[in-house]
Amino acid sequence: VQADQNGHASAISACRAGEKWNHAVGLLARLHGVTLQADVVSYNAAISSCEKAHQWHAALAYFGSMGNQQVASTEVSFGACISACEKGCRWLQAVKLLEDLSKRRMCPGEVCTAAAMSACAAGAREDLALSILWDSEEQ
């Protein structure tokens, strides 16, 4: 059976559903070792797996490597990474991701906004959470 991008993305998503984040990122790394190029779906699934396992540092690392691999991040990529930062109480990283999302002229959406606000609240930065809320209402 020939492995392809869709098969790897499906396997990575299955690992996410089974809360096997280490297997998900292993599959993503395997893509780089064969002739296949990881696509945005594979990265998003791996980042989401990290988020579900509270592995914010791994989620940030894979999000950062997307650009190195010439894979364009999407709103889903940002959302999964911001949610990972929320679960890790990394309010500063969550806010920076939200700002970067806006700079790229992407719509943050409710999930990204709520996750960033929650991260700020967890970090005792209610002032930033309110600022994010007000900014989202102006858009």
Side-chain angles (χ1 to χ4, degrees):
V1 174
Q2 180 85 18
D4 64 4
Q5 285 178 323
N6 292 334
H8 275 79
S10 296
I12 292 169
S13 291
C15 291
R16 177 189 68 212
E19 298 182 8
K20 303 287 186 191
W21 75 274
N22 52 341
H23 295 295
V25 297
L27 285 168
L28 183 64
R30 183 176 167 207
L31 276 172
H32 296 296
V34 296
T35 58
L36 297 174
Q37 174 72 26
D39 62 1
V40 69
V41 175
S42 298
Y43 271 101
N44 288 350
I47 293 167
S48 184
S49 294
C50 294
E51 175 259 327
K52 295 212 180 310
H54 299 260
Q55 299 295 321
W56 62 269
H57 55 282
L60 284 172
Y62 283 105
F63 182 83
S65 70
M66 290 176 78
N68 297 339
Q69 298 298 320
Q70 299 177 345
V71 177
S73 53
T74 64
E75 288 91 342
V76 173
S77 312
F78 277 94
C81 206
I82 292 170
S83 292
C85 291
E86 170 198 12
K87 288 185 176 169
C89 298
R90 310 308 286 189
W91 64 269
L92 183 59
Q93 288 87 344
V95 170
K96 286 182 178 181
L97 285 164
L98 192 66
E99 290 171 351
D100 193 25
L101 179 65
S102 295
K103 287 178 186 174
R104 294 183 188 200
R105 304 220 187 273
M106 294 181 188
C107 180
E110 292 178 17
V111 172
C112 292
T113 302
M117 289 172 51
S118 180
C120 290
R125 292 303 311 261
E126 291 84 3
D127 57 323
L128 283 176
L130 287 172
S131 178
I132 291 168
L133 176 63
W134 293 326
D135 288 346
S136 70
E137 290 176 348
E138 291 176 2
Q139 294 177 359

